[in-house]
Amino acid sequence: KAPVRVIIGNPPYSVGQKSANDNAQNLKYAKLDNRIANTYALKSSAGLSKSLYDTYIKAFRWASDRIESCKDGGIVAFISNGAWIDGNAHDGLRRCLEDEYSSIYVLNLRGNARTSGEQRRKESGNVFGEGSRTPITITFLVKNPNKTGKANIYYHDIGDYLTREQKLKMVKDFCSIDGIEWKQIQPNDKHDWINQRDGVFDTLVPLCPEKKFDGKAKSIFCFNGPAIATGRDSWVYNFSQSAVGENMSRMIDFYNSQTDKFQQIIKGNTNAKVEDVIDSDQSKISWTRALRRHVEKGDKYTYNKKYIRETSYRPFIIQTLFSYWDFIESPGFSSSIFPTVRSEKENIQICFSCAKGVTAIVTNIMADYHLSGDSQCFPLYWYEENKNRQLTLFDSVSDEKYIRRDGITDWILNEVRSHYENAKNITKEMIFYYVYGLLHSAEYRERFADDLKKSLPRIPIVDRVEDFMDFSLYGKKLAELHLNYETVAPHPDVKVNVVMPKDDKQDDYDYYRVDKLRFLSKNDKSVIIYNGNIRIENIPAKAYDYIVNGKSAIDWIVERYCISIDKNSGIRNDANDWAREHGKPRYILDLLLSVINVSTQTVDIVNRLPQLKF
């Protein structure tokens, strides 16, 4: 009840526990959560609001309410996670701060380690060193009861490429807020403070409807959804099919034993909680909230190899997935896009994200959520179960089990045809490839960079039909290149230097085996040391210009094709197993050579895309 006028702090940044095995969920604050729901979340335009319940956001809400209760006003001074100043889900928070305070000062110390490439270099050092991977801000919220109207907002960005030590020295030299050269911000109508969105973007065609499916939507796709987020990658994914089988058989057996144990205990103690009974040893199982609910219900499982599927795990990297959905925390809508193995030959989807810069990549198999970075999937087709199917004596059980539907709307087909004076030759497939081509346009990405950070793409219909056809044609060429990357011939200028010739008695798999691919040096990526026997030389610098999900396609191969051991589960994932199980001892070498050429060809095609005129 004391009249607190100043609240200072460094609130914790955790939005949730790191692992369900930890059994260390954040404390619940019913009144505070309700306040966030009725303020920050209510005034947000974002579909997902989980990040608004991060503990540092709760600290903002608690402190604001406490200052509000003091009739003489006051000041809140926090050093915190800085994601809120530009986050899409935080627009409601920013709106409330504008309304609740008279003056706001934000010093952006940057340091976001979850970026990559050039942006990561710009973010550079974090003032907390290894203590945080998030951007950091120092914020002063001033409430003057004598001032009316919205807050005056003052902002200072500490700058690019600064080390931790440089940033700390600058903060020390500032001495006080009077020592900072502030820039006053005028928020736009979307409550963007920095990286303000372009109003033109809102006039373009939405890529998808607001809900999962809307056949009559005025959008390009009628269907979209998130890709697969397993919650236990080391268990359900592996380069080796046999390793996935062994790991999941072991985990399922242990899960069943824990279920039996819990069900036996609740017979004598109906108040028993799953979390207090189960064994959280991460070398035996990976718990998630959904899996604990199955324990409560007494569900039991048996391993079945029919759930083994190949999945696009990372750009140009396929891994084996155990796709039994009860062991996948968030399967998305993958079963509606690729319900059968046959559908993988017939369907194609664009996986899009702007988490680490704009990324669009196509696959014709299931995709992992982090394939393109928080991937949303837009399929050419989607499938629904044929519940009215009547089997005849001559039908197989699998015949016509699913009905294929168009992912592209009738509405956009009519719109595009009408735009080009009833051009009947334009098809839905052409529109699909038009979107893929346009999403690769450097002009489009730069023009709408700030919009794409905060929302799904909107697509312009270009003025000239000739440009539409070019975007579609080049989009199709890009798609064919990215789908068939394994069969692309090596770049003619790239040389494979055999350092140590193969002994006639040496096993092919041992000769081409990799432990860890690496570049010649940090500053010289023209050479990749494949293993002690082979070096790949004369890699064109242009190949590294093809960036997908924050880094070059080549970097993805170099990073992921190795032998790794998960520190929590102890599970081994050996990229060489894929080559051995597929009978291709040169698979990793040939893949790397192909991806180098895929990268250079992608850059060439993107450079031929037409100007964006709409």
Side-chain angles (χ1 to χ4, degrees), residues 264-334:
Q264 186 65 35
I265 286 175
I266 61 172
K267 289 179 180 178
N269 179 10
T270 57
N271 294 321
K273 295 181 179 180
V274 170
E275 292 82 359
D276 298 332
V277 172
I278 58 176
D279 186 338
S280 296
D281 185 343
Q282 294 184 66
S283 67
K284 298 176 181 177
I285 196 166
S286 175
W287 291 109
T288 53
R289 181 176 55 184
L291 198 58
R292 291 198 300 266
R293 286 201 300 265
H294 288 299
V295 172
E296 289 177 342
K297 293 188 290 185
D299 296 337
K300 302 282 285 293
Y301 299 97
T302 302
Y303 173 79
N304 192 323
K305 66 179 181 180
K306 74 177 183 179
Y307 295 109
I308 294 291
R309 298 278 288 269
E310 291 185 355
T311 305
S312 289
Y313 183 64
R314 294 293 183 269
F316 307 106
I317 298 167
I318 299 175
Q319 289 205 48
T320 304
L321 170 70
F322 181 69
S323 64
Y324 189 84
W325 300 134
D326 281 4
F327 288 89
I328 304 295
E329 186 70 2
S330 178
F333 302 117
S334 297

Side-chain angles (χ1 to χ4, degrees), residues 106-282:
V106 181
L107 173 58
N108 187 358
L109 299 176
R110 310 279 288 278
N112 187 356
R114 293 190 172 92
T115 53
S116 58
E118 185 62 20
Q119 184 58 40
R120 179 67 192 95
R121 287 186 282 277
K122 287 183 177 181
E123 295 287 322
S124 196
N126 192 291
V127 291
F128 289 120
E130 299 297 322
S132 176
R133 291 175 54 82
T134 71
I136 305 298
T137 56
I138 298 177
T139 306
F140 300 93
L141 305 172
V142 182
K143 186 172 183 61
N144 180 352
N146 297 320
K147 183 183 180 300
T148 59
K150 290 186 177 295
N152 294 325
I153 303 171
Y154 304 95
Y155 176 75
H156 183 85
D157 187 323
I158 202 162
D160 297 335
Y161 307 112
L162 298 174
T163 65
R164 179 195 184 207
E165 289 70 24
Q166 288 172 320
K167 292 178 181 180
L168 290 173
K169 184 179 185 304
M170 290 175 71
V171 171
K172 183 178 180 180
D173 291 344
F174 287 148
C175 291
S176 74
I177 64 171
D178 291 333
I180 300 173
E181 187 175 338
W182 297 103
K183 173 185 176 182
Q184 189 165 357
I185 289 174
Q186 296 296 330
N188 63 13
D189 58 357
K190 295 179 180 295
H191 302 283
D192 295 333
W193 290 6
I194 62 174
N195 300 322
Q196 294 188 3
R197 284 172 273 188
D198 191 314
V200 175
F201 190 76
D202 291 337
T203 68
L204 307 181
V205 181
L207 194 60
C208 61
E210 292 183 359
K211 51 188 178 181
K212 169 197 166 183
F213 170 77
D214 185 352
K216 297 182 180 180
K218 292 183 178 180
S219 59
I220 292 176
F221 290 89
C222 65
F223 180 98
N224 82 290
I228 296 168
T230 74
R232 52 177 62 82
D233 279 14
S234 63
W235 290 89
V236 297
Y237 278 119
N238 205 286
F239 280 109
S240 167
Q241 178 176 324
S242 62
V244 169
E246 292 170 6
N247 294 333
M248 286 309 301
S249 292
R250 179 164 55 90
M251 178 174 157
I252 288 171
D253 288 344
F254 185 75
Y255 162 85
N256 287 337
S257 71
Q258 296 297 289
T259 301
D260 288 339
K261 178 182 177 182
F262 179 73
Q263 294 300 319
Q264 186 65 35
I265 286 175
I266 61 172
K267 289 179 180 178
N269 179 10
T270 57
N271 294 321
K273 295 181 179 180
V274 170
E275 292 82 359
D276 298 332
V277 172
I278 58 176
D279 186 338
S280 296
D281 185 343
Q282 294 184 66

Side-chain angles (χ1 to χ4, degrees), residues 4 13 25 47 63 73 75 78 92-93 100 102 185 187 254 270 303 328 356 362 365 380 432 488 507 527 531 544 563:
V4 174
Y13 302 171
Q25 295 181 353
I75 297 173
F78 280 167
L93 164 62
E100 295 172 3
S102 51
I185 289 174
F254 185 75
T270 57
Y303 173 79
I328 304 295
K356 296 183 178 180
V362 293
I365 55 177
L380 180 59
F432 180 90
V488 174
D507 180 83
V527 176
N531 61 17
Y544 292 96
I563 302 170

Side-chain angles (χ1 to χ4, degrees), residues 394-463:
F394 304 100
D395 289 331
S396 71
V397 175
S398 61
D399 286 342
E400 303 301 327
K401 184 177 180 181
Y402 297 94
I403 302 171
R404 192 176 79 177
R405 305 292 192 191
D406 290 333
I408 303 290
T409 64
D410 294 335
W411 177 84
I412 191 61
L413 179 63
N414 292 331
E415 285 290 306
V416 171
R417 286 177 173 178
S418 298
H419 188 78
Y420 302 121
E421 298 181 354
N422 206 25
K424 299 279 189 181
N425 60 323
I426 293 176
T427 65
K428 290 183 176 181
E429 188 172 346
M430 288 170 135
I431 295 172
F432 180 90
Y433 291 120
Y434 169 81
V435 170
Y436 196 57
L438 192 135
L439 289 175
H440 280 82
S441 164
E443 189 178 358
Y444 174 81
R445 293 181 177 194
E446 291 168 9
R447 172 78 168 79
F448 299 113
D450 293 332
D451 295 273
L452 292 168
K453 289 176 183 177
K454 297 182 173 74
S455 60
L456 288 171
R458 286 176 171 263
I459 305 296
I461 302 175
V462 292
D463 289 338

Side-chain angles (χ1 to χ4, degrees), residues 82-102:
W84 68 273
I85 62 171
D86 195 32
N88 184 37
H90 302 92
D91 59 338
L93 164 62
R94 294 190 294 271
R95 180 178 174 183
C96 288
L97 294 180
E98 293 170 28
D99 294 336
E100 295 172 3
Y101 290 93
S102 51

